[in-house]
Amino acid sequence: MSYLEAVPAIRRIDTDRGDLFAVDIVGKVNPADAENLFGLLEAAYALHPQIDVLVRLTDFEDTQWAEISPGTFEQGRDAALRHVRRCASVGGPDWSGYLRGELPEATELRHFPADREAEAWEWLGASPRATT
């Protein structure tokens, strides 16, 4: 199956805060998914110069980092450095130790186990909106 045929691994989560960017990452992240994620983040930055981020990892398998364009990755990282205030990751592996070395001290970063997702939403002062 090609990247164009695969179900997207990155899915937006609608929230009750305009300046909170929330996504669910399901399964394996391929380069097309990463490009999509960086594009969605750029749109969020255009609307809100400073944002909070929630990343929920559901049945996370892997990310093909080596296949993502280095330029795309660097642009995404540099933009996050300028725009992200707080970031909560829920479930999956805890990457906070690695990310702390990549983000400025002013960026707050916390990992929550999947069974404590409600605490992540509370920490960010937000809620997911129910889908119909």
Side-chain angles (χ1 to χ4, degrees), residues 49-64:
Q50 296 290 294
I51 65 170
D52 293 335
V53 175
L54 181 136
V55 177
R56 181 172 59 201
L57 299 163
T58 305
D59 297 326
F60 178 75
E61 292 177 27
D62 190 21
T63 301
Q64 299 168 335

Side-chain angles (χ1 to χ4, degrees), residues 34-55:
E35 292 277 349
N36 181 46
L37 174 61
F38 292 137
L40 291 170
L41 281 164
E42 285 296 327
Y45 303 149
L47 294 172
H48 304 281
Q50 296 290 294
I51 65 170
D52 293 335
V53 175
L54 181 136
V55 177

Side-chain angles (χ1 to χ4, degrees), residues 83-102:
H83 297 284
V84 176
R85 290 181 300 237
R86 287 179 138 188
C87 181
S89 66
V90 177
D94 181 359
W95 294 323
S96 58
Y98 167 76
L99 291 175
R100 280 191 217 303
E102 297 292 317

Side-chain angles (χ1 to χ4, degrees), residues 3 6-10 26 28-38 40:
Y3 295 147
V7 174
I10 297 174
V26 181
K28 191 172 200 168
V29 177
N30 64 46
D33 293 317
E35 292 277 349
N36 181 46
L37 174 61
F38 292 137
L40 291 170

